[in-house]
Amino acid sequence: MNNEKISWGNFFRTVFTIALPIALQNFLSTTASMVDTIMIGSQGELSVAAVGICAQISSLFFSCYFGFASGGLLFFSQYWGARNEKGINRVFGLALTCMLVVSLLFGGAAVINPEFILGIYTDKEKIIAIGAPYIRIVGFAYPLQVLAMIISFLMRSTERVKPPLVSSILALITNFILNWILIYGRFGMPKMGAAGAAVGTLVSGMVNVLALFFFLLKDQKTVALRVKELFSWRDGFFQEYMGKCFPIICNELFYGIGQMLINIVIGHQSESAIAAMAAFRVLEGFVFAFFAGLADASSVVVGKEVGSGRLMNGFQYMKKFALLCPAITFCICLTGLLLNKPLLSLFGLGAEAMFYGKYMLLIYLAAGTVRTCNYIMNSCYRAGGEAVFGTLLEIICLFAVSVPATWAAGMIWHLPFLAVFSFLYTDELIRLAFELWYTRSGKWIKPVTDLGRAALPEFRAALAQGRQTS
């Protein structure tokens, strides 16, 4: 096992060569709904609110399938470190199958009865009327979304970071152009409003998947996908995959349910508050999409080191990512707060909604920094092979603190909106204290490869010796 200390110079070289392209790709691939919300701003607060509510439904869908993708990333990165191509094939096929099932369930519900789904989130009939055509069209894009996700994760894990970045750029350009034409009715096309934004999302999803398939088929030397191996799940592999993924799936599912309950509270506030929340979610999404990409990158780096038996390297990379990402988050959030007026004016908000938006950004300056730190550490736990601790901690804190506090503030006590909003992130500080302790313990390193398992006793001994000398 390599016990040499990872210098900040080596760390930043890894960040720029692997992490930064992944973060940019994730940022671009998750901005479709954000672009929709911004470009629909000229249609008024109700349209912004409607697209924002639809984005919350898509967020629940994401939570329901992301556990399978995140579990796949765990195996991809460690198998890549061990150069186990057959294992990569089997994980890809199994994860894709599970994700497609979820996408068909959500897509079918969105297409068949969008009014019912929107009615769960808000009691505002005008918002439902605007949002129903949008979510019905977006429902067709859900299977495309999971295809793009799992292919991107496979390519990232095998250190092919440029193709997903290029495909995301192409998709974003397509979405922007179609939105501009269909929302406003350019070049003789009908003025479709929110529905036009949905068409742009659907077509851009097609472009993204086609580009990813092109790059995947073009490069068969790194990892060749074989149909027979994709569905070879016998000899206990299905049980091994689900054993690692089940806690992650539960984490994402229950987190999505908790956020849905919080979003229901927000959906019963005033129309200005709902519009302000939609605008804030876009700005938060831009920040968080970038750092979710960094988290994925940290998973690739840490997982590769753990899978190849360099456990101490993985441990050191994790600690450095946990310091770097919150620091950058704070700087970006501070910039957003200072530029709150020009940023919020993009959404066509009224005076009351603008007031709400400014102070929401101020609250997020602290909350977002802590949240990013927690997210990065939990992602690295999963890459190291540990999925239970982070899951239990996040779900317990969410349902014991944030959800009941927000529900009571908004639905029982009927406090002012900003007071309700302030309860959304109350669980993050509690999680931070426990995760800092668990990160330092190194107990989250639990390899799934033979090379990693063989290096585990030496790693634990080195960690114990380091504590004694410190």
Side-chain angles (χ1 to χ4, degrees):
M1 183 183 69
N2 184 2
N3 288 325
E4 293 183 7
K5 189 173 182 180
I6 301 295
S7 68
W8 280 102
N10 289 334
F11 172 73
F12 280 116
R13 275 192 290 274
T14 301
V15 168
F16 282 109
T17 57
I18 298 177
L20 192 58
I22 291 177
L24 289 174
Q25 187 268 326
N26 195 79
F27 173 81
L28 293 171
S29 65
T30 56
T31 55
S33 63
M34 304 175 196
V35 169
D36 291 351
T37 308
I38 292 174
M39 296 188 73
I40 208 71
S42 63
Q43 308 296 304
E45 277 190 3
L46 284 177
S47 293
V48 172
V51 174
I53 293 290
C54 293
Q56 292 169 12
I57 297 170
S58 295
S59 178
L60 178 61
F61 163 60
F62 175 84
S63 296
C64 289
Y65 79 76
F66 187 70
F68 297 105
S70 187
L73 184 62
L74 182 165
F75 282 91
F76 286 152
S77 56
Q78 291 204 27
Y79 281 149
W80 176 242
R83 294 301 189 269
N84 185 345
E85 188 171 311
K86 182 179 179 181
I88 292 173
N89 268 267
R90 295 201 295 179
V91 171
F92 182 87
L94 184 51
L96 176 59
T97 300
C98 296
M99 292 164 68
L100 280 175
V101 170
V102 176
S103 71
L104 292 174
L105 290 173
F106 268 83
V111 171
I112 294 169
N113 199 346
E115 291 85 2
F116 172 77
I117 299 176
L118 287 164
I120 297 173
Y121 282 82
T122 184
D123 57 351
K124 306 296 187 295
E125 293 295 333
K126 293 181 180 179
I127 291 177
I128 294 174
I130 295 172
Y134 178 91
I135 197 65
R136 176 178 280 121
I137 297 171
V138 168
F140 288 103
Y142 284 167
L144 300 172
Q145 186 175 327
V146 301
L147 273 169
M149 172 71 74
I150 196 63
I151 295 173
S152 294
F153 273 24
L154 172 64
M155 301 191 83
R156 293 175 184 179
S157 301
T158 52
E159 299 181 65
R160 293 174 287 176
V161 296
K162 290 183 180 179
L165 179 60
V166 172
S167 64
S168 295
I169 292 172
L170 292 174
L172 186 62
I173 292 172
T174 302
N175 190 38
F176 180 84
I177 292 174
L178 288 178
N179 277 2
W180 184 74
I181 293 172
L182 297 176
I183 291 174
Y184 309 112
R186 312 286 185 183
F187 302 114
M189 297 297 290
K191 188 176 181 179
M192 299 175 66
V199 172
T201 297
L202 175 59
V203 177
S204 66
M206 295 177 183
V207 170
N208 193 21
V209 169
L210 288 173
L212 285 169
F213 266 117
F214 170 79
F215 288 120
L216 192 64
L217 295 174
K218 183 181 178 182
D219 179 13
Q220 292 287 307
K221 294 181 180 179
T222 305
V223 174
L225 294 180
R226 300 179 178 88
V227 175
K228 185 178 180 180
E229 291 181 354
L230 290 178
F231 303 100
S232 175
W233 306 334
R234 297 179 182 178
D235 65 20
F237 178 74
F238 180 81
Q239 290 82 354
E240 182 183 4
Y241 172 81
M242 292 306 297
K244 289 291 184 182
C245 291
F246 186 71
I248 303 174
I249 294 165
C250 290
N251 188 169
E252 299 299 333
L253 179 60
F254 282 104
Y255 181 81
I257 293 171
Q259 291 301 310
M260 182 184 74
L261 294 173
I262 289 173
N263 288 331
I264 289 172
V265 176
I266 301 300
H268 285 76
Q269 305 301 304
S270 68
E271 291 176 350
S272 292
I274 296 173
M277 190 67 182
F280 168 78
R281 288 294 193 200
V282 172
L283 299 179
E284 180 193 34
F286 278 124
V287 175
F288 200 67
F290 182 79
F291 288 102
L294 276 181
D296 292 343
S298 68
S299 296
V300 171
V301 174
V302 172
K304 180 186 174 184
E305 296 297 320
V306 171
S308 60
R310 298 187 292 269
L311 308 188
M312 187 58 73
N313 284 3
F315 179 75
Q316 293 179 43
Y317 273 120
M318 194 297 206
K319 292 197 295 184
K320 283 180 166 56
F321 272 112
L323 288 172
L324 173 69
C325 297
I328 300 177
T329 304
F330 181 85
C331 295
I332 293 178
C333 291
L334 180 61
T335 303
L337 178 62
L338 295 174
L339 300 175
N340 71 89
K341 283 188 177 180
L343 288 175
L344 292 171
S345 63
L346 294 172
F347 301 91
L349 303 179
E352 184 179 6
M354 289 285 287
F355 173 81
Y356 288 148
K358 175 183 177 180
Y359 286 97
M360 290 159 75
L361 290 172
L362 177 60
I363 293 169
Y364 194 71
L365 178 64
T369 302
V370 175
R371 186 185 181 208
T372 299
C373 189
N374 289 335
Y375 192 94
I376 289 288
M377 288 190 284
N378 198 15
S379 293
C380 288
Y381 296 161
R382 296 173 180 179
E386 166 56 61
V388 176
F389 179 84
T391 293
L392 289 177
L393 183 63
E394 182 169 27
I395 298 307
I396 289 172
C397 289
L398 180 64
F399 282 93
V401 183
S402 289
V403 170
T406 305
W407 190 275
M411 306 294 276
I412 299 174
W413 301 328
H414 301 291
L415 297 180
F417 172 68
L418 287 175
V420 175
F421 177 80
S422 66
F423 283 103
L424 263 62
Y425 304 100
T426 48
D427 62 320
E428 298 291 354
L429 280 174
I430 300 172
R431 285 179 58 202
L432 180 65
F434 283 100
E435 289 194 6
L436 288 173
W437 163 78
Y438 195 64
T439 295
R440 188 174 181 273
S441 74
K443 295 178 180 179
W444 48 275
I445 294 185
K446 299 179 180 180
V448 300
T449 65
D450 292 337
L451 286 173
R453 293 190 186 104
L456 196 55
E458 186 181 351
F459 166 72
R460 288 174 176 169
L463 207 60
Q465 184 180 4
R467 290 199 192 95
Q468 291 175 0
T469 58
S470 61

